[in-house]
Amino acid sequence: MLIAAFLVATVLGGTSVAFVYVGMNAWGRNYSFTRALLAGFPDWYLWAVATPLVFRLGERIRLDRQQWIRGAVIHLAAGTALTLAEIGVVTLFARSVGMASVSGDFVEAYARMVLQYFHFNLMIYAAIVAAAQAVQYHRQFRQREVEASQLQVELTQAHLLALQLQLQPHFFFNTLHAIAALVRDGRNSDAVDALARMGDLFRQSLGNSRQHEIPLREELSFVEAYLEIERVRFSDRLVTSVEAGPEVLEGRIPSMALQLLVENAIRHGIARDPHARSVTLAAWREGGELRIEVRNDGPPFRDADSRGQGKGVGIQNVRARLQRLYGARGSLEIRRGTPSGSVALLSVPFHIQNTLATEGVS
């Protein structure tokens, strides 16, 4: 701060020197440049030395609404004392270099200097205090901006976590319902195997419970574990295929989003039509987008309208998470397949880093 104050003082002092030298000589008075230097710079350099002290005082004694009278009285007293002291030093300096304007008795010379320069020097003090107040308010404004930004991130993370936790019970309830169907059919051994696989799914889900996005590779592993349960349920009737090249496996997608699409393809497609048997999944990169398609050959998804806007809780949940994570760049479309079945198309920006820092959210 002291260096900056001296730079400013040099600029202002140089301006004063030029004004005095040119002005006095323009009026026909023989005024030397050396004399102009001695008249222009000392005053500004003294204020440069005092600036850090005044600046700190301006930061500590605020002129806010609650105590502006107290702050004004303190600054008026401090400014008056410092101004009188500064004028005294300038007077002594001017006398030491033999300036005629302060010749004679010191008290009289000092009184003339006070009458001539007091208000100007007090305004310099006020300007430094105002700068300190402005810097303080700017710091507080920036701090509030940072806090507001952090709060917005935390709120977004909390909302995403709430949506994710909403989806998990939805998934496990449906899986338990499928296992219960095995028990009702007397397939107890298959039900035990399915329960064991569900335990693995549960552990895997807990491992990702604090991550809003995971690599496609991990989501496919979760989906495959889920499909193992459904293959037990449907025996040889369920045929699945996955097409995903290595170039897209590290791309991140919302956790459990793909699992929900596969689950819907089975619940609303394969389970509703005894002749349906196929669920295919394909993932590819298209420009800066990662696109994932889930298709089945069963009847059309009943919750999909003509615009591809699914109305189910799970679909709305995924769409809400896409909006939170990617804005307009994330989308989920559900439409009728050709010649039959349903197609779900998930699109997200291709990236391999987390969109939000999610670990540790509680």
Side-chain angles (χ1 to χ4, degrees), residues 60-73:
R60 295 189 62 180
I61 309 299
R62 302 289 301 277
L63 296 172
D64 50 25
R65 293 180 179 179
Q66 287 76 19
Q67 49 185 1
W68 71 270
I69 295 179
R70 171 181 173 274
V73 170

Side-chain angles (χ1 to χ4, degrees), residues 263-327:
E263 180 185 347
N264 277 348
I266 294 175
R267 288 184 60 228
H268 300 285
I270 308 303
R272 289 171 50 205
D273 186 348
H275 302 291
R277 55 187 291 115
S278 173
V279 174
T280 61
L281 186 155
W284 69 95
R285 186 173 179 179
E286 189 172 306
E289 304 293 318
L290 174 60
R291 300 187 182 276
I292 305 173
E293 181 183 86
V294 179
R295 180 186 296 268
N296 71 75
D297 61 352
F301 182 32
R302 287 177 297 188
D303 283 344
D305 60 22
S306 60
R307 296 171 299 171
Q309 301 295 312
K311 297 174 289 184
V313 172
I315 296 298
Q316 294 297 337
N317 179 294
V318 171
R319 284 205 172 95
R321 294 170 66 200
L322 290 172
Q323 176 64 33
R324 286 278 177 173
L325 286 168
Y326 316 115

Side-chain angles (χ1 to χ4, degrees), residues 7-8 27 72 74 86 94 120 127 130 134 180 183 196 215 217 225-226 240 245 266 272 300 339 344:
L7 290 174
V8 173
W27 279 92
I74 292 175
E86 191 272 343
F120 178 74
V183 175
R217 167 179 44 80
Y226 166 72
T240 62
I266 294 175
R272 289 171 50 205

Side-chain angles (χ1 to χ4, degrees), residues 68-183:
W68 71 270
I69 295 179
R70 171 181 173 274
V73 170
I74 292 175
H75 281 301
L76 181 60
T80 298
L82 187 60
T83 295
L84 292 174
E86 191 272 343
I87 292 175
V89 173
V90 171
T91 303
L92 290 173
F93 175 79
R95 288 171 65 87
S96 70
V97 297
M99 297 187 69
S101 60
V102 291
S103 60
D105 183 72
F106 173 78
V107 175
E108 291 182 359
Y110 176 67
R112 289 197 303 272
M113 292 286 283
V114 169
L115 291 174
Q116 188 174 359
Y117 296 110
F118 177 80
H119 291 90
F120 178 74
N121 281 271
L122 191 61
M123 284 191 292
I124 295 176
Y125 175 91
I128 298 173
V129 171
Q133 301 274 305
V135 169
Q136 189 79 348
Y137 279 118
H138 178 70
R139 287 174 182 166
Q140 290 182 344
F141 175 75
R142 292 294 300 166
Q143 181 64 28
R144 285 194 294 267
E145 277 192 331
V146 171
E147 291 174 353
S149 177
Q150 291 174 342
L151 179 61
Q152 183 61 44
V153 170
E154 291 173 359
L155 288 173
T156 298
Q157 291 176 339
H159 190 200
L160 284 168
L161 186 58
L163 290 171
Q164 187 170 329
L165 294 177
Q166 179 191 52
L167 197 58
Q168 287 174 341
H170 177 271
F171 158 65
F172 286 111
F173 174 79
N174 290 334
T175 306
L176 283 172
H177 179 74
I179 294 173
L182 294 175
V183 175

Side-chain angles (χ1 to χ4, degrees), residues 323-346:
Q323 176 64 33
R324 286 278 177 173
L325 286 168
Y326 316 115
R329 296 190 63 190
S331 65
L332 172 59
E333 177 187 357
I334 299 176
R335 64 179 185 272
R336 294 173 178 268
T338 304
S340 63
S342 299
V343 178
L345 179 61
L346 176 71

Side-chain angles (χ1 to χ4, degrees), residues 163-273:
L163 290 171
Q164 187 170 329
L165 294 177
Q166 179 191 52
L167 197 58
Q168 287 174 341
H170 177 271
F171 158 65
F172 286 111
F173 174 79
N174 290 334
T175 306
L176 283 172
H177 179 74
I179 294 173
L182 294 175
V183 175
R184 286 194 299 269
D185 293 340
R187 299 167 58 187
N188 295 337
S189 178
D190 290 338
V192 170
D193 291 341
L195 279 172
R197 291 187 174 93
M198 183 177 174
D200 294 336
L201 279 175
F202 188 70
R203 283 190 294 271
Q204 190 172 348
S205 174
L206 288 178
N208 294 331
S209 63
R210 300 295 180 183
Q211 299 185 65
H212 303 314
E213 296 176 306
I214 61 175
L216 176 60
R217 167 179 44 80
E218 293 184 17
E219 184 77 354
L220 287 175
S221 174
F222 189 84
V223 168
E224 179 58 31
Y226 166 72
L227 287 174
E228 286 294 329
I229 296 176
E230 295 295 355
R231 290 191 188 100
V232 171
R233 176 187 174 190
F234 290 100
S235 299
D236 296 333
R237 188 159 74 86
L238 179 60
V239 178
T240 62
S241 66
V242 177
E243 298 177 7
E247 70 279 2
V248 298
L249 292 180
E250 297 305 317
R252 288 184 171 266
I253 66 172
S255 61
M256 296 193 74
L258 180 55
Q259 184 281 327
L260 175 76
L261 300 183
V262 173
E263 180 185 347
N264 277 348
I266 294 175
R267 288 184 60 228
H268 300 285
I270 308 303
R272 289 171 50 205
D273 186 348

